[in-house]
Amino acid sequence: LQYNVAAGLDANAMSLLSNLLPHPITAVSEKLIRSIMDLSFDPKGKEQAVALGVVEKIVPMLRDPHASVRAASVGAIMSVAITTEGKQAAVAAGAVDSIMDCLHDTDEGILLNTLKAVAIIADHPSARQQLKASLPKIRELESFVGTRMDPTAISRSAKLAVQRIEWQA
């Protein structure tokens, strides 16, 4: 889908897309979630995603059997959770447990986005506490050498995630 984000948000695209989730066709679910992610790059899109409960619909899809849906889901949550309200919505929807499960994924793209999501959500105090249980796995990923993309991307993201989880207020 190609669209003007502002016009899409003004036309209730976030609501329309989220109302179609979950979709029984994998490719459609992936495209819906990727479109939600694209819309949520805009601050207004983040606000709409939180207000419409989009995070609550996406969190269960972090455990989808299809990697493409998991990848899109973690990306969308990462995008929305950049705001304080997005973090709160993600934590309330139980995203932290599902995100921690994604740390065991074998897909490098999912691992990378998961580590980025961890670093973002770790700003929330209760999420940071929950994420401490994943520190051994994240530390293991600090020495990961990728084969599909920048070989050090996952390692760098793991190091940042550890810093964010261990940060003291």
Side-chain angles (χ1 to χ4, degrees):
L1 295 173
Q2 290 187 349
Y3 45 82
N4 177 307
V5 171
L9 291 168
D10 289 343
N12 295 321
M14 185 69 75
S15 178
L16 295 170
L17 295 167
S18 69
N19 285 337
L20 295 172
L21 290 175
H23 199 279
I25 299 171
T26 300
V28 174
S29 285
E30 177 191 352
K31 296 295 183 201
L32 289 168
I33 298 166
R34 287 196 186 282
S35 295
I36 287 168
M37 180 176 64
D38 290 345
L39 290 172
S40 69
F41 289 146
D42 184 286
K44 185 176 178 181
K46 292 177 194 342
E47 289 174 20
Q48 287 183 13
V50 170
L52 294 167
V54 173
V55 174
E56 291 85 352
K57 290 184 174 187
I58 294 175
V59 167
M61 301 178 92
L62 288 167
R63 293 187 168 138
D64 193 274
H66 303 282
S68 63
V69 174
R70 292 192 310 276
S73 298
V74 76
I77 290 171
M78 177 177 53
S79 178
V80 173
I82 288 173
T83 66
T84 299
E85 296 79 13
K87 286 175 186 58
Q88 292 168 342
V91 170
V96 178
D97 287 334
S98 296
I99 287 171
M100 288 175 13
D101 288 345
C102 289
L103 290 168
H104 300 279
D105 209 293
T106 57
D107 183 281
E108 289 183 28
I110 294 172
L111 278 175
L112 181 61
N113 281 345
T114 299
L115 289 164
K116 289 178 179 182
V118 165
I120 289 167
I121 291 176
D123 287 343
H124 189 284
S126 68
R128 187 167 45 254
Q129 281 303 115
Q130 276 184 273
L131 289 165
K132 285 181 180 179
S134 289
L135 279 171
K137 178 61 180 174
I138 297 170
R139 283 194 175 102
E140 179 184 315
L141 293 170
E142 285 180 319
S143 61
F144 187 93
V145 177
T147 58
R148 200 184 99 192
M149 55 184 79
D150 173 355
T152 63
I154 290 173
S155 173
R156 286 191 319 267
S157 293
K159 289 174 184 169
L160 177 60
V162 167
Q163 289 173 358
R164 299 299 278 277
I165 293 168
E166 291 182 334
W167 179 79
Q168 300 290 324

